[in-house]
Amino acid sequence: MILETLATVAAGIFAGAALYINVAEHPARMECGTRVAVTVFAPSYRRAAKMQASLAGIGLLAGVGAWLQEGDLWWLAAAVVLGSVIPFTFLAIMSTNTRLLAPELNKDSAEAASLLRRWGRLHAVRTALGLIAFGVLVWRLVS
């Protein structure tokens, strides 16, 4: 029961943090204008990336461990969905992150605004994956 609970808690914190970023933090920084949004993106990203990567990794490992102990494929499926945010970040989001963090980016440019909008859409995929994984894990934990 320890691994199941750990996977569920990690997924829940990940999903909650990701949802907060998409619903509150990113829209709020966008309301402040492109220059401010790009400026505050860097410290926000630096802090959130460490937390979210750790939570996704913990949830993945604990979910796989729960599957190995229980033999229930739902634990594995949810763990893989949560863990998929890691390669998704590297394959789909990292180039946008790199461009937003580049010192030569004109913080007032249309490119910067476009990158921020793209980042928000891509991050919403991470949020959806986290919420799906959390929902499945809660369902398995309580059933």
Side-chain angles (χ1 to χ4, degrees), residues 107-131:
K107 293 179 180 179
D108 293 314
S109 67
E111 177 192 13
S114 176
L115 287 168
L116 287 165
R117 286 190 301 274
R118 176 177 168 76
W119 184 91
R121 289 189 306 272
L122 291 170
H123 193 272
V125 173
R126 290 169 43 96
T127 300
L129 292 169
L131 289 169

Side-chain angles (χ1 to χ4, degrees), residues 2 5 11 14 25 29 41 57 72 76 80 85 105 111 116 126-127 136 143:
I2 292 172
T5 302
F14 176 92
E25 182 181 337
R29 70 175 158 230
F41 177 83
D72 184 341
L76 177 62
V80 168
V85 303
L105 177 67
E111 177 192 13
L116 287 165
R126 290 169 43 96
T127 300
V136 171
S143 63

Side-chain angles (χ1 to χ4, degrees), residues 6 9 26 37 64 84 90 95 103 106 108 118 127 132:
L6 180 59
V9 168
H26 191 64
V64 169
S84 72
F90 284 108
S95 63
N106 178 344
D108 293 314
R118 176 177 168 76
T127 300
I132 290 166

Side-chain angles (χ1 to χ4, degrees), residues 11 14 16 44 48 59-60 67 83 94 101-102 113 128 130 136-137:
F14 176 92
S44 175
L60 171 63
W67 166 65
M94 194 57 71
L101 298 170
V136 171
L137 290 168

Side-chain angles (χ1 to χ4, degrees), residues 30-88:
M30 293 297 286
E31 283 182 18
C32 295
T34 303
R35 173 171 283 284
V36 171
V38 172
T39 301
V40 300
F41 177 83
S44 175
Y45 167 77
R46 188 174 57 248
R47 292 169 184 264
K50 291 176 189 173
M51 180 190 77
Q52 288 194 303
S54 298
L55 289 167
I58 290 167
L60 171 63
L61 294 175
V64 169
W67 166 65
L68 291 171
Q69 282 184 346
E70 302 291 325
D72 184 341
L73 282 175
W74 285 108
W75 291 107
L76 177 62
V80 168
V81 169
L82 181 62
S84 72
V85 303
I86 297 168
F88 178 78

